[in-house]
Amino acid sequence: MQSRCLTGHAKHGAFQSHKPSVRRSQLSCKAASGAQDPLLLRVARGEDADRTPVWLMRQAGRYMAEFRAFSDKYPFRMRSETPDIAIELSLQPWRAFKPDGVIFFSDILTPLPALGIEFDVIKGKGPRIQTPIRSMEQVQSLNKLDDPLSSLPFVHDILSSLRQEVDGQATLLGFVGTPWTLAAYAMEGKADRDCKQTKVIMFNQPAVLHAFLDHLTEALITYMGYQIEAGAQVMQLFDSWAHHLSPEQFAEFSLPYANRIVAA
């Protein structure tokens, strides 16, 4: 894993750490260092440490009976968008194992409804988007993420409360999906092993895909800044569907948009 000015890149994702800021334009790679800062945050800055920080990619999950007690009772979006439940699910593995990171319980698709793209998560089947985005008219009609505090207030409640609960004993991690991965979900309408609909648009209407990626990029820059302001100390950027792209396609349809988010 490489680290550079609070930014690290992994196979299909990245993480970035920031000091909370008031405006997007003020986000920077500067953060005060000190012994009081948790291990993962210090290592994300590139500082030396006596061991490697440890956290799990799916830290809150079905392997815990306490988690299953909620997932058997409540649908996914209710769990991820109800602060009391999401906070409890985020803290369960930290209480049990004390990893170096606490990941807030959410999903990479969480910002989509604020843009006008509704989704649901069907147990045993995964995400479903009833009206996939496949035309320029649909892209142009999408909302901008101008006021996430109004459209996604629960995210702020969850992260700010978790920051207080953890109280410097671990690093609070937020995350977003890359524009490519979110576009692929939204164009397919579900997880698809071949990504056929998205690739048809990529080859026949690349301008539609680029317009959608650009819209998602601007929204995700705002959304990432919103998470940081709410209390996230390290941000993870997931490109879960990057494996659907050739190196040339990745260089055109994913990497430039992901780099814009990191640079912001």
Side-chain angles (χ1 to χ4, degrees):
M1 180 179 291
Q2 300 175 334
S3 63
R4 173 182 58 84
C5 193
L6 312 183
T7 303
H9 298 277
K11 181 179 180 183
H12 290 313
F15 62 77
Q16 184 171 18
S17 168
H18 286 287
K19 179 171 60 177
S21 62
V22 176
R23 295 199 321 243
R24 187 180 88 181
S25 61
Q26 293 176 322
L27 298 180
S28 71
C29 282
K30 296 180 180 178
S33 62
Q36 76 277 8
D37 290 327
L39 174 66
L40 196 158
L41 179 58
R42 287 184 278 119
V43 170
R45 292 189 185 120
E47 298 176 15
D48 293 332
D50 57 359
R51 66 175 178 84
T52 301
V54 176
W55 74 102
L56 305 178
M57 294 303 294
R58 289 189 176 271
Q59 196 153 275
R62 292 185 295 268
Y63 68 94
M64 297 190 73
E66 298 93 330
F67 180 93
R68 294 196 301 273
F70 283 88
S71 61
D72 290 343
K73 187 175 182 180
Y74 304 112
F76 176 80
R77 283 192 62 179
M78 183 176 180
R79 284 179 282 141
S80 64
E81 297 178 15
T82 303
D84 287 348
I85 297 176
I87 291 165
E88 170 61 22
L89 296 176
S90 302
L91 291 174
Q92 284 176 351
W94 183 65
R95 294 195 199 104
F97 310 116
K98 286 295 186 287
D100 295 301
V102 172
I103 306 167
F104 94 115
F105 184 73
S106 187
D107 193 86
I108 60 173
L109 303 185
T110 292
L112 292 186
L115 306 182
I117 305 171
E118 285 296 333
F119 78 95
D120 197 5
V121 178
I122 310 301
K123 193 169 185 177
K125 296 183 178 180
R128 291 291 186 272
I129 294 171
Q130 196 150 23
T131 307
I133 306 300
R134 295 175 182 170
S135 71
M136 187 65 81
E137 291 74 20
Q138 287 177 293
V139 172
Q140 292 172 343
S141 69
L142 293 173
N143 302 327
K144 293 183 178 180
L145 190 61
D146 291 328
D147 187 8
L149 189 58
S150 295
S151 56
L152 301 164
F154 54 88
V155 171
H156 188 281
D157 293 344
I158 294 165
L159 284 167
S160 60
S161 296
L162 284 172
R163 184 70 177 272
Q164 292 179 356
E165 290 276 353
V166 175
D167 193 28
Q169 299 175 68
T171 299
L172 180 58
L173 296 100
F175 63 91
V176 299
T178 64
W180 159 253
T181 289
L182 293 192
Y185 267 115
M187 287 181 158
E188 296 299 323
K190 60 181 180 179
D192 184 272
R193 64 183 298 175
D194 298 313
C195 229
K196 290 180 181 177
Q197 296 294 336
T198 311
K199 288 181 178 178
V200 166
I201 295 170
M202 178 193 298
F203 286 115
N204 298 316
Q205 297 176 288
V208 173
L209 179 54
H210 277 299
F212 193 21
L213 292 168
D214 185 71
H215 189 94
L216 288 168
T217 299
E218 289 303 308
L220 290 168
I221 289 170
T222 300
Y223 185 49
M224 180 177 276
Y226 177 53
Q227 289 189 36
I228 293 166
E229 290 165 8
Q233 295 168 288
V234 169
M235 292 299 300
Q236 300 174 106
L237 184 62
F238 294 116
D239 208 355
S240 308
W241 284 18
H243 62 284
H244 285 289
L245 299 171
S246 69
E248 294 77 16
Q249 290 166 344
F250 180 78
E252 178 177 355
F253 294 103
S254 184
L255 185 60
Y257 297 99
N259 282 342
R260 274 172 56 187
I261 293 173
V262 173

